[in-house]
């Protein structure tokens, strides 16, 4: 069933915002849940997170980081007034709503998108929430919204150096995240930590948090296909047991996650994803017939 | 009636594409009968009387088999008429003949008992059923008939919600729409069809056939809401506020995994994931289609049901060397005979009496081999009549860069967690009218049976539609009184 794009903006470098009419999701979605988007007839099903929504007006907003073929095609080909073929959801479990006390919610690069609804709801629920966005400076987003929604919002930005590829960015991201989290945990008391972002960076942050013994909740991003629990693509090992992130998660106790397995599984299709991207770029360069 | 016939012992064969050609693509393997060939095969049928015919008894939905076969012979001079009459007979019991003609295990059902088997080959009932449906679809005879038998649907003014667009849900929807109910199907995926769409491959059941069935439902006024996951997008409780009755046909979608070390290594798929990527997402057309699938050089498929055959034959079509590994012996293979034969023709190897105990990975977390324990069969039989098996303590390791686990599935978990819905061993519990523990909520197909068959799911859909009709008729009468 097609869903109309009401508005679209480029928020920052490679970060695209869509406002979409999807009343079935808007009516039900809770912080921590996600949707599956299939944007094109021959397209993939990809998980994305509703950032804001209006139950009455029936819209949700999505923010995508242009990462591979699907997110790039969406950015290039979809414009306001167009339709997204499928938006299924809401999927996954809502984040637990509890009074933790002082919370540190960390979003790395586009991970900050998923932190937003959860951090906002936790603050409204009576927690004292500090949010931390670790990101390359040109990709910093949602600053004003965070400043309104939580007690304190910190941006740990870094500049991109000429010639950097994904590996260098990931390296710098981990370095910055680890240092900043250590600094915060050494100087202040926190009762709960949340992370969303690339799995490698989540693992590095977890290793710091673990030293302080603070409870930690991690939203995981394994590869998903149906996201209704029928394929097992998203399986993760949690406390020695196999779980399906789409229906048992996506949030889990960070202390129980088998991080190395997750990192391996997420990277499995990288060569094919590159191929898909090259195929697309070639088609673009070939021009439209 | 009493026409003297001479016995024709051999089946009229249906043309098949040669193995070496078909393993290169996903086109259909069996090409089916032409009208002339179908009539020739139909003429072999002894026309056993309907109250005796063992084929009818063997059919889970009791299609009048000699009845439809007889029409092909009776109207042989007017093919369109012959097919229309035959289809009419089939439709009285089965609304998806193009599908069941292709995927039913006929050898265990109608064809098992055929009396012709005593003197020669049994009648090829499945292929005749398929022929009737295909010919009708290609000529638009099916739609013509549909709108003749439902000249004007008398609206009942009551609404029914159907959960899941597999054979159970589609059938229930069609029957209820014909009875004048306002029907809406809620389907989690982006396409309707259930296993027919995401599980069974194109080379066995072309997707255009499933699409045509769904198209007919739409023409009957059935509304299909894809992208709606009941239990998430909407709950059964909420559906009951809006609808007068609900039918659950959510299937058995949760794949069973093997509880062995290394099961989450890269390159290890459940059959559901592998087949969903290949069929629903069309990964065989990657990168024209965006969804990737990884098929290495050596593929092991674990299990020996229809799902295992479909996974193995799909992997073969990517050029891989494929081995099916089964913990029991050849006599316990549960897949349709035709599929096993096709798999063998296509060069798939079978290893029996081996049971996986460990998946061995390389330094990148990718599978490189599977360690199996050798098994042996005992004389003693289990509750399903299969010989019990025990480990021998001997092991064998087979190299593989892709492993597909096809050892069965459990009913869908999202539905089963509905408060007040009685469930046993993951299956929804129903009474003899297929009503669940929640009044007004009915269920059928794999959701109540665990993994079963298309025809049983379809039969349940029909039976439930009838029960819902009775339930709603009472509700209407009480409401009016
Ligand atoms: C619960 C959840 C919520 C998410 N929310 C957001 C969000 O709000 N905004 C956002 O930009 N991204 C989000 N993601 C990640 C997003 O799904 C990927 O960025 C997207 O699939 C990339 O697709 P692509 O074709 O552009 O890139 P590709 O080149 O196909 O893939 C690039 C990388 O994206 C990831 N990825 C690819 N396909 C999938 C898939 N089917 N499922 C999960 N991950 C995949 C893998 O890490 C892969 O290496 C979320 C992921 C999950 C699991
Ligand atoms: C690979 C494979 C090959 C097979 N081969 C054969 C064969 O040759 N012959 C044969 O007779 N049988 C075969 N079967 C079995 C047969 O397909 C099933 O028994 C049959 O499809 C069951 O029908 P169903 O309608 O109960 O469920 P399904 O076909 O499973 O359909 C259920 C539908 O419900 C949807 N759904 C689930 N949960 C929800 C929810 N919460 N909200 C909304 N929608 C939901 C699903 O997405 C799906 O579309 C095969 C099965 C597989 C997997
Ligand atoms: S049992 Fe065989 S011969 Fe008899 S009616 Fe059925 S198909 Fe014909
Ligand atoms: S994505 Fe298929 S089971 Fe989770």
């Amino acid at each position: 069933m097609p869903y109309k794009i009401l508005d679209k903006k480029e928020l920052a470098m490679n970060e695209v915002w869509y406002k979409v009419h999807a009343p079935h999701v808007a009516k039900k979605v809770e912080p921590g849940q996600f949707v599956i988007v299939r944007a094109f007839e021959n397209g993939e099903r990809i998980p994305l997170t509703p950032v804001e929504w209006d139950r009455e007006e029936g819209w949700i907003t999505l923010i995508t980081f242009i990462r591979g073929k699907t997110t790039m095609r969406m950015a290039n080909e979809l414009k306001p007034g167009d339709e997204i073929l499928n938006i299924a959801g809401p999927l996954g479990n809502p984040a637990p709503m509890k009074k933790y006390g002082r919370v540190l919610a960390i979003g790395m690069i586009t991970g900050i998108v998923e932190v937003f609804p959860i951090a906002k709801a936790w603050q409204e629920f009576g927690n004292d929430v500090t949010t931390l966005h670790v990101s390359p400076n040109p990709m910093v987003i949602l600053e004003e919204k965070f400043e309104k929604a939580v007690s304190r919002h910190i941006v740990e930005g870094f500049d991109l150096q000429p010639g950097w590829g994904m590996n260098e960015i990931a390296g710098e991201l981990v370095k910055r995240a680890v240092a900043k989290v250590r600094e915060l945990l050494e100087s202040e008391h926190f009762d709960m930590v949340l992370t969303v972002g690339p799995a490698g960076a989540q693992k590095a942050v977890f290793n710091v948090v673990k030293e302080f013994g603070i409870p930690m909740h991690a939203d995981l991003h394994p590869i998903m296909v149906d996201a209704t629990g029928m394929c097992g693509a998203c399986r993760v090992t949690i406390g020695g047991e196999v779980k399906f992130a789409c229906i048992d998660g996506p949030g889990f106790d960070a202390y129980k996650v088998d991080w190395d397995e997750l990192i391996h599984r997420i990277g499995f299709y990288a060569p094919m994803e590159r191929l898909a991207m090259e195929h697309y770029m070639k088609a673009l360069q070939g021009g439209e017939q | 009636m009493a026409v003297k016939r001479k016995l024709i012992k051999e089946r009229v064969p249906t043309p098949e594409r040669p193995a070496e050609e078909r393993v290169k693509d996903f086109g259909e393997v069996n090409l089916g009968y032409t009208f002339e060939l179908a009539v020739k095969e139909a003429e072999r049928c002894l026309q056993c009387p309907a109250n005796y015919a063992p084929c009818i008894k063997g059919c889970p939905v009791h299609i009048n088999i000699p009845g439809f076969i007889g029409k092909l012979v009776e109207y042989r001079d007017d093919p369109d008429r012959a097919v229309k009459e035959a289809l009419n007979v089939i439709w009285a019991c089965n609304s998806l003949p193009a599908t069941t003609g292709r995927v039913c295990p006929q050898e265990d059902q109608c064809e098992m008992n055929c009396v012709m088997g005593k003197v020669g080959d049994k009648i090829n009932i499945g292929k005749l059923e398929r022929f009737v449906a295909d010919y009708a679809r290609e000529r638009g005879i099916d739609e013509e008939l549909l709108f003749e038998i439902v000249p004007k649907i008398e609206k009942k003014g009551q609404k029914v919600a159907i959960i899941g667009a597999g054979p159970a849900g589609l059938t229930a929807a069609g029957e209820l729409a014909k009875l004048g109910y306002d029907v809406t199907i809620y389907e989690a995926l982006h396409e309707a069809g259930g296993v027919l769409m995401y599980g069974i491959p194109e080379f066995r059941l072309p997707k255009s056939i499933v699409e045509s069935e769904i198209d007919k439902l739409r023409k009957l006024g059935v509304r299909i809401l894809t992208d709606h996951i009941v239990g998430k997008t909407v709950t059964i409780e909420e559906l009951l506020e809006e609808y007068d009755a609900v039918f659950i046909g959510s299937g058995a979608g949760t794949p069973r995994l093997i509880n062995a070390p290394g099961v989450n290594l890269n390159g290890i798929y459940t059959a559901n994931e592998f087949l969903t990527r290949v069929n629903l997402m069309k990964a065989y057309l990657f990168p024209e289609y965006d969804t990737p699938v990884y098929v290495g050089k050596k593929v092991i498929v674990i299990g020996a049901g229809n799902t295992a055959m479909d996974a193995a034959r799909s992997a073969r079509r990517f050029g891989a060397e494929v081995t099916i590994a089964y913990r029991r012996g050849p006599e316990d293979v549960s897949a349709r005979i035709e599929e096993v034969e096709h798999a063998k023709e296509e060069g798939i190897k079978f290893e029996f009496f081996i049971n996986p105990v460990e998946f061995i990975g390389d330094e990148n977390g990718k599978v490189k081999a599977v360690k199996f324990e050798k098994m042996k069969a005992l004389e003693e039989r289990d509750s399903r009549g299969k010989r019990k098996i025990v480990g021998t303590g001997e092991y064998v390791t087979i190299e593989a860069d892709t492993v597909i686990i096809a050892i069965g599935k459990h009913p869908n978990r999202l539905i089963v967690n509905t408060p007040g819905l009685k469930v046993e061993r993951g299956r929804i519990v129903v009474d003899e009218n297929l009503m669940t523990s929640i009044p007004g909520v009915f269920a059928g197909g794999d959701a109540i049976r665990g993994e079963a068959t298309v025809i049983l799911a379809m039969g349940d859909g029909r039976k439930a539609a009838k029960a819902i009709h009775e339930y709603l008729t009472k509700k209407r009468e009480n409401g009016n009184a």
Side-chain angles (χ1 to χ4, degrees):
Chain A
M1 297 199 347
Y3 306 90
K4 196 174 203 145
I5 299 174
L6 304 171
D7 203 357
K8 176 189 172 191
K9 272 196 291 241
E10 194 158 342
L11 295 185
M13 188 182 99
N14 289 343
E15 301 279 0
V16 189
W17 173 90
Y18 304 84
K19 180 175 173 183
V20 192
H21 182 68
H24 65 306
V25 176
K27 196 168 154 197
K28 275 304 184 68
V29 62
E30 296 288 345
Q33 291 189 297
F34 61 95
V35 293
I36 283 278
V37 169
R38 179 174 160 271
F40 306 102
E41 203 43 65
N42 57 354
E44 256 187 299
R45 292 167 64 93
I46 64 164
L48 294 173
T49 310
V51 188
E52 293 180 282
W53 51 85
D54 188 306
R55 300 215 197 277
E56 264 81 64
E57 292 178 17
W59 51 259
I60 61 172
T61 63
L62 303 169
I63 299 175
T64 64
F65 168 39
I66 301 180
R67 195 167 179 190
K69 179 173 174 187
T70 303
T71 45
M72 159 128 5
R73 258 185 98 181
M74 287 174 69
N76 286 352
E77 297 176 24
L78 297 174
K79 41 186 199 310
D82 288 350
E83 287 174 333
I84 289 181
L85 286 181
N86 300 95
I87 301 182
L91 295 158
N93 297 299
M97 277 304 134
K98 285 192 201 146
K99 280 214 172 102
Y100 298 106
R102 293 203 75 218
V103 177
L104 175 61
I106 308 158
M108 292 172 286
I109 315 187
T110 318
I112 199 65
V113 161
E114 286 165 76
V115 169
F116 182 75
I118 303 176
K120 180 166 176 273
W122 277 354
Q123 180 83 26
E124 283 164 5
F125 202 76
N127 292 291
D128 175 9
V129 180
T130 297
T131 44
L132 169 64
H133 187 194
V134 190
S135 168
N137 281 320
M139 297 168 70
V140 170
I141 50 172
L142 299 175
E143 254 182 300
E144 279 167 36
K145 286 197 188 283
F146 270 104
E147 277 159 12
K148 273 194 228 137
V150 297
S151 301
R152 176 177 51 161
H153 182 59
I154 305 169
V155 175
E156 174 70 8
F158 55 89
D159 288 329
L160 294 173
Q161 305 302 329
W164 271 12
M166 273 320 243
N167 284 344
E168 289 77 11
I169 299 175
E172 186 66 14
L173 177 76
V174 168
K175 213 169 90 195
R176 295 297 185 113
V178 163
K180 191 68 188 175
V181 170
R182 184 177 293 284
E183 178 196 316
L184 283 166
L185 296 186
E186 275 170 355
S187 56
E188 297 176 36
H189 169 80
F190 287 98
D191 301 294
M192 173 56 123
V193 178
L194 164 73
T195 62
V196 191
Q202 280 184 303
K203 178 188 170 190
V205 167
F206 167 67
N207 283 334
V208 177
V209 175
K210 191 169 65 174
E211 287 174 35
F212 294 82
I214 305 169
M216 180 168 160
H217 183 90
D219 264 11
L220 305 186
H221 281 184
I223 303 276
M224 295 186 178
V225 181
D226 63 301
T228 67
M230 70 109 182
C231 81
C234 63
R235 58 197 199 273
V236 288
T237 302
I238 306 292
E241 271 181 61
V242 177
K243 298 278 181 195
F244 288 6
C246 68
I247 54 172
D248 298 318
F252 292 99
D253 178 352
Y255 286 78
K256 295 192 172 156
V257 174
D258 182 336
W259 291 103
D260 293 334
E261 179 187 282
L262 177 69
I263 293 166
H264 279 314
R265 287 185 66 83
I266 290 176
F268 184 48
Y269 292 99
M272 296 186 82
E273 286 154 2
R274 267 198 302 277
L275 200 77
M277 190 67 166
E278 280 161 20
H279 181 81
Y280 179 58
M281 298 308 274
K282 240 186 242 147
L284 276 186
Q285 280 152 14
E288 55 275 53
Q289 309 81 336
Chain B
M1 288 269 7
V3 198
K4 268 258 172 69
R5 283 179 206 279
K6 75 169 193 296
L7 282 181
I8 306 161
K9 291 189 184 159
E10 277 100 48
R11 265 188 182 187
V12 178
T14 45
E16 270 175 12
R17 294 169 63 216
E20 54 284 5
E21 174 194 315
R22 67 192 195 229
V23 292
K24 296 192 188 115
D25 63 40
F26 276 75
E28 200 171 15
V29 168
N30 189 294
L31 302 172
Y33 284 131
T34 57
F35 184 74
E36 287 67 35
L37 292 176
V39 170
K40 254 176 110 181
E41 178 68 10
E43 276 180 319
R44 296 178 56 231
C45 172
L46 301 175
Q47 291 292 310
C48 310
N51 58 353
Y52 155 79
C55 53
I56 303 183
K57 293 205 176 88
C59 171
V61 299
H62 308 300
I63 298 174
N64 181 350
I65 291 162
F68 95 77
I69 293 179
K71 298 288 183 198
L72 294 179
V73 182
E74 186 178 344
Y75 298 105
R76 61 188 310 161
D77 298 330
D78 180 356
D80 284 12
R81 168 102 194 260
V83 165
K84 191 165 171 180
E85 298 278 347
L87 186 64
N88 200 16
V89 174
I90 297 174
W91 268 4
C93 309
N94 175 356
S95 15
L96 304 172
T99 301
T100 52
R102 288 174 166 81
V103 306
C104 265
Q106 286 92 4
E107 69 270 15
D108 301 324
Q109 301 179 358
C110 52
E111 291 176 19
M112 182 166 81
N113 304 332
C114 174
V115 286
M116 271 300 286
K118 292 187 185 135
V119 289
D121 292 342
K122 297 166 181 180
I123 303 298
N124 198 341
I125 303 172
K127 292 292 185 295
L128 286 174
E129 182 186 26
R130 164 183 163 170
F131 164 75
V132 169
D134 284 356
Y135 186 97
R137 187 182 62 257
E138 280 151 22
R139 305 248 175 161
I141 296 171
D142 53 350
E143 269 185 26
E144 203 183 297
L145 183 62
L146 184 67
F147 290 102
E148 267 172 38
I149 57 176
V150 274
K152 49 179 187 309
I153 298 172
E154 203 183 304
K155 287 275 171 205
K156 298 285 193 298
Q158 282 160 307
K159 294 166 75 179
V160 183
I162 308 277
I163 304 169
L170 294 176
T171 307
E175 295 305 304
L176 286 163
K178 285 187 214 158
L179 289 165
Y181 294 98
D182 187 344
V183 182
T184 305
I185 304 182
Y186 289 77
E187 168 55 50
L189 295 174
H190 61 269
E191 297 216 63
V195 171
L196 309 184
M197 212 63 193
Y198 78 71
I200 303 180
E202 178 78 19
F203 56 80
R204 199 145 76 80
L205 177 64
K207 301 306 142 211
S208 57
I209 290 176
V210 186
E211 277 156 13
S212 129
E213 298 296 346
I214 290 157
D215 212 43
K216 278 199 289 261
L217 283 187
R218 289 214 169 90
K219 288 190 177 140
L220 280 173
V222 173
R223 192 162 65 124
I224 303 180
L225 298 177
T226 55
D227 310 328
H228 282 63
I229 305 95
V230 178
K232 293 283 179 193
T233 318
V234 58
T235 62
I236 291 185
E237 227 174 4
E238 288 165 327
L239 289 177
L240 282 172
E241 284 165 21
E242 197 184 329
Y243 296 89
D244 299 284
V246 173
F247 174 75
I248 308 175
S250 53
T254 314
R256 276 181 60 198
L257 281 171
I258 292 168
N259 194 5
V263 73
N264 284 358
L265 287 168
N266 280 333
I268 302 184
Y269 288 101
T270 68
N272 256 17
E273 179 184 352
F274 184 76
L275 290 170
T276 299
R277 284 180 180 272
V278 173
N279 298 322
L280 184 69
M281 305 312 296
K282 302 207 165 48
Y284 63 91
L285 298 174
F286 180 89
E288 289 308 322
Y289 278 69
D290 293 346
T291 305
V293 69
Y294 174 79
V295 185
K297 293 201 168 63
K298 295 186 92 171
V299 178
I300 293 181
V301 178
I302 298 170
N306 283 319
T307 310
M309 297 307 142
D310 284 346
R313 296 174 64 203
S314 297
R316 185 80 186 96
R317 282 161 172 72
F318 284 83
E321 188 187 298
V322 184
T323 304
I324 287 185
Y326 187 39
R327 62 193 174 119
R328 299 176 183 275
E331 68 281 5
D332 286 326
V333 167
S334 63
R336 300 175 75 228
I337 285 183
E338 188 182 8
E339 310 316 327
V340 177
E341 278 167 6
H342 283 163
K344 287 182 184 156
E345 286 165 19
E346 289 166 11
I348 289 161
K349 279 193 286 192
F350 286 73
E351 293 283 352
F352 294 104
F353 294 113
I354 54 171
N355 191 34
V357 291
E358 188 188 344
F359 300 97
I360 301 161
D362 65 14
E363 60 291 352
N364 296 319
K366 182 159 167 298
V367 70
K368 64 173 186 192
V370 186
K371 184 175 168 189
F372 292 92
E373 181 173 16
K374 294 186 182 167
M375 309 299 284
K376 67 168 189 251
L378 305 175
E379 282 315 308
E380 207 184 324
R381 301 203 173 244
D382 67 12
S383 55
R384 289 173 304 165
K386 295 189 173 185
R387 284 202 295 164
K388 284 194 178 164
I389 45 167
V390 288
T392 59
E394 274 178 59
Y395 296 88
V396 51
T397 298
I398 307 180
E399 268 178 53
D401 46 14
T402 305
V403 175
I404 303 170
I405 301 173
I407 59 162
K409 301 184 296 161
H410 298 299
N412 176 302
R413 273 201 273 159
L414 289 176
I415 290 282
V416 163
N417 293 337
T418 303
L421 188 67
K422 194 168 167 218
V423 173
E424 267 168 24
R425 290 186 304 135
R427 297 176 196 176
I428 299 172
V429 178
V430 291
D431 66 13
E432 67 283 0
N433 290 318
L434 300 182
M435 182 137 91
T436 67
S437 56
I438 306 176
V441 178
F442 297 74
D446 283 5
I448 63 168
R449 298 170 179 275
E451 253 188 310
T453 58
V454 171
I455 192 73
L456 287 172
M458 209 216 65
D460 286 350
R462 262 176 186 262
K463 189 171 163 197
K466 240 174 149 180
I468 291 172
H469 178 45
E470 278 165 27
Y471 173 83
L472 292 181
T473 305
K474 267 197 209 120
K475 211 166 156 180
R476 237 176 6 249
E477 285 163 358
N478 293 343
N480 291 346

